Amino acid sequence: MKIFIDTADPEEIRKYHDLGIIDGVTTNPTLATKVGRPYKEIVQEILAMVDGPVSLEVLGTAYDDIMREAHGLAALHKNVVVKVPMIPDGIKAVSHLSKEGIKTNVTLVFSPTQALLAAKVGATYVSPFVGRVDDISADGMELIAEIREIFDNGGYETNILSASDRTPRHVALAAMYGADVATVKPENIGKMFRHPLTDIGLEQFIKDFMESGQEALV
Ligand code: G3P
C-alpha cells in the first residue's frame, strides 16, 4: 500500500519525504488555508519536492467550472491529480477528464455506491473518508472493505485511497482491508514510528554495551 501525506504544508511534507516514506500528497481547500502562506507558492514547492501524485482540489461545483479548473490544475505539472467532489457535475467532469487522460481523485466519498459511480467513469482514485464515517458512529473500515469487494468483482482499476485518518491504526487497517493508498496526517505518520518498547529496548541495548567496557567494532 502506498502512503500519501495529507497536508499542504511543505515543511511537514519535507520532514517525512526526507525519510523516503512518502509516495504522494493529498490536499484540500481547508488544508491549503492552514499553512498561512500563499497557496500558489506552497503548491509550487510541493510539486518541486515530491515526485509522485499530488492531489489539488477544484473549488467549483458546476460542470463547466470544474472542467476549467481541472484543465488549469493539470497543466501545472505532470504529477497533479485533480480532486473533484462526489456530486453529479463532478462525476460528469471525471468521465470527460478520464477520456482526456487527466488523473482524478473523487473526494468526499462516504458510501460504496458513490465509489462505484466514480469507478464507472474511470476515476484514478476514490477517497473514502474513513475517519468522518467513524465520527458518526458508523464503520469507516467496513466502507473500505465493501469498496474493495465491489472493485475486485467488477474489475475496476480505480485506486482506493483511504482518507481522513484519525489514528495510525487506520493506516494498518487500510492496508489489511486492501486499500491501494492511505493518505495520512503528519501527526499520525509520526505516531506510526513510535512504540515505547522500541525506546526502552534501544536505551537498554546501548546502556548494557557502554557499561560492559567492551570496545565498539567501528
Ligand atoms: O484527505 C481528506 C482529509 O483531509 C479529511 O480529513 O480529518 O478533515 O476528516 P478530516
Side-chain angles (χ1 to χ4, degrees), residues 126-175:
V126 64
S127 289
F129 277 27
V130 297
R132 293 193 194 187
V133 172
D134 286 1
D135 288 346
I136 58 162
S137 299
D139 189 340
M141 282 303 144
E142 195 182 318
L143 176 58
I144 298 286
E146 288 181 0
I147 298 172
R148 180 74 278 155
E149 194 172 335
I150 289 167
F151 284 9
D152 288 349
N153 285 346
Y156 295 111
E157 287 178 7
T158 299
N159 292 281
I160 302 172
L161 192 162
S162 179
S164 176
D165 55 309
R166 292 286 175 269
T167 73
R169 185 70 184 152
H170 270 147
V171 185
L173 290 171

Side-chain angles (χ1 to χ4, degrees), residues 18-211:
D18 281 352
L19 302 183
I21 56 170
I22 299 301
D23 300 302
V25 179
T26 53
T27 67
N28 64 40
T30 303
L31 291 174
T33 63
K34 285 186 176 163
V35 186
R37 290 174 50 199
Y39 185 39
K40 280 188 183 171
E41 194 180 290
I42 58 179
V43 164
Q44 290 304 340
E45 253 180 68
I46 294 168
L47 290 169
M49 183 188 346
V50 179
D51 187 18
V54 175
S55 285
L56 302 176
E57 191 156 341
V58 299
L59 296 170
T61 53
Y63 171 76
D64 288 341
D65 296 330
I66 294 171
M67 289 302 282
R68 182 185 50 76
E69 283 185 68
H71 288 135
L73 293 173
L76 290 177
H77 195 282
K78 65 174 173 51
N79 288 339
V80 168
V81 176
V82 181
K83 215 169 170 186
V84 177
M86 177 58 226
I87 54 176
D89 278 38
I91 290 301
K92 181 180 171 186
V94 171
S95 77
H96 286 89
L97 294 167
S98 304
K99 290 184 187 105
E100 293 176 27
I102 292 177
K103 294 192 187 71
T104 54
N105 175 355
V106 173
T107 188
L108 291 164
V109 165
F110 294 94
S111 76
T113 48
Q114 289 180 321
L116 175 61
L117 293 173
K120 282 196 85 69
V121 293
T124 316
Y125 299 93
V126 64
S127 289
F129 277 27
V130 297
R132 293 193 194 187
V133 172
D134 286 1
D135 288 346
I136 58 162
S137 299
D139 189 340
M141 282 303 144
E142 195 182 318
L143 176 58
I144 298 286
E146 288 181 0
I147 298 172
R148 180 74 278 155
E149 194 172 335
I150 289 167
F151 284 9
D152 288 349
N153 285 346
Y156 295 111
E157 287 178 7
T158 299
N159 292 281
I160 302 172
L161 192 162
S162 179
S164 176
D165 55 309
R166 292 286 175 269
T167 73
R169 185 70 184 152
H170 270 147
V171 185
L173 290 171
M176 289 165 62
Y177 281 80
D180 301 287
V181 186
T183 191
V184 191
K185 294 181 175 70
E187 61 268 30
N188 284 335
I189 296 180
K191 287 179 189 171
M192 286 170 72
F193 278 90
R194 292 200 289 273
H195 195 289
L197 292 179
T198 303
D199 300 338
I200 292 167
L202 180 60
E203 196 185 328
Q204 190 70 49
F205 283 159
I206 294 169
K207 183 169 171 283
D208 287 346
F209 194 87
M210 291 308 179
E211 285 175 1

